[in-house]
Amino acid sequence: MAILNPTFVTVDAILTTKGRQLLARNDGSFQITQFSLADDEIDYTLYNPYHPSGSAYYGEAIEAMPVVEAFPNDSQIMRYKLVTLPRGTSRLPVVNVGYNSITLRQGASLTITPQTLNYLGATSTFEANGYIVTVSDSRLLSSFAGTGITTTIPATGLNTTSGTVLSTSQVGTSFTITGTTINTLFGSSLTTLTTTLTVIGRDSGARITIPLNIQKVATV
């Protein structure tokens, strides 16, 4: 049980699964260089401009909402991140990778080159600082590389044999992924393995998440 003092702003911050993975390495790779803010727990439909007590109470219901406990599952929390855009922006930027979903056969490769729509006055543009692409389950790939951007952000290696699901990320303007060739991941009955691929613009903050499917190749 906990009691929150309404006179203070409470921030519940934890390490993500990836952050914990880097911290456990104890090799200096764990360096906090960026952070994100999100408003997942806010229901803006509760804003009431017709409150009988006046404008000071329009957001009363929102301000009284409980603080959501932080947890490291990025598919369930911080799905609606806050971004800072240039003054006068009339449309939110959107990341486009050219696919609504990606399906690869084992060992097959695909290169994607993200673009950002509705950003900096352009219909379509490439962001100067590139993109961060994250694959939620690195076991499904035998290789994953980003090119086009020189960065100090450490690239994370693939986890191709461990039974633990770990994400991996790359920074760049173009990304090449190759499906795993390890059949044991499919077990005895599965023919398709599914994870997600998330692309985030490093300048705009725009993001998109699409399914990534790896199909088993039948052996003769």
Side-chain angles (χ1 to χ4, degrees):
M1 177 179 177
I3 299 176
L4 297 178
N5 187 336
T7 62
F8 293 93
V9 176
T10 301
V11 177
D12 187 9
I14 64 170
L15 293 178
T16 62
T17 302
K18 178 58 64 178
R20 294 179 182 182
Q21 177 191 357
L22 295 175
L23 180 63
R25 291 180 180 177
N26 196 30
D27 60 0
S29 61
F30 176 71
Q31 298 181 19
I32 299 176
T33 60
Q34 298 173 319
F35 66 91
S36 295
L37 302 175
D39 59 355
D40 294 31
E41 68 269 34
I42 303 302
D43 182 359
Y44 289 103
T45 63
L46 296 178
Y47 185 79
N48 180 17
Y50 306 105
H51 197 288
S53 298
S55 60
Y57 296 87
Y58 288 177
E60 180 183 37
I62 294 177
E63 295 168 359
M65 295 182 70
V67 177
V68 176
E69 180 181 358
F71 55 94
N73 186 339
D74 60 1
S75 67
Q76 299 297 326
I77 198 169
M78 296 194 73
R79 299 174 62 187
Y80 306 100
K81 290 183 172 63
L82 306 183
V83 298
T84 300
L85 298 173
R87 184 179 296 274
T89 298
S90 60
R91 293 187 294 177
L92 289 176
V94 177
V95 171
N96 178 33
V97 296
Y99 300 90
N100 293 322
S101 65
I102 295 175
T103 299
L104 294 176
R105 290 165 60 86
Q106 280 184 281
S109 298
L110 176 70
T111 298
I112 62 171
T113 304
Q115 298 183 58
T116 304
L117 314 181
N118 308 329
Y119 185 56
L120 298 180
T123 302
S124 177
T125 188
F126 301 101
E127 299 193 20
N129 287 307
Y131 302 83
I132 299 175
V133 174
T134 301
V135 175
S136 296
D137 188 349
S138 62
R139 299 176 304 167
L140 274 59
L141 300 180
S142 62
S143 66
F144 177 32
T147 59
I149 293 291
T150 301
T151 177
T152 57
I153 298 177
T156 52
L158 292 182
N159 171 41
T160 58
T161 57
S162 171
T164 303
V165 176
L166 292 177
S167 66
T168 185
S169 300
Q170 293 286 336
V171 175
T173 56
S174 182
F175 303 85
T176 300
I177 55 177
T178 302
T180 180
T181 56
I182 300 176
N183 286 330
T184 54
L185 295 173
F186 292 86
S188 59
S189 59
L190 294 178
T191 58
T192 301
L193 299 175
T194 300
T195 185
T196 60
L197 185 145
T198 300
V199 184
I200 303 175
R202 298 181 67 198
D203 296 325
S204 69
R207 61 188 284 144
I208 186 174
T209 299
I210 62 174
L212 172 60
N213 307 302
I214 306 298
Q215 293 183 335
K216 185 176 182 180
V217 176
T219 56
V220 179

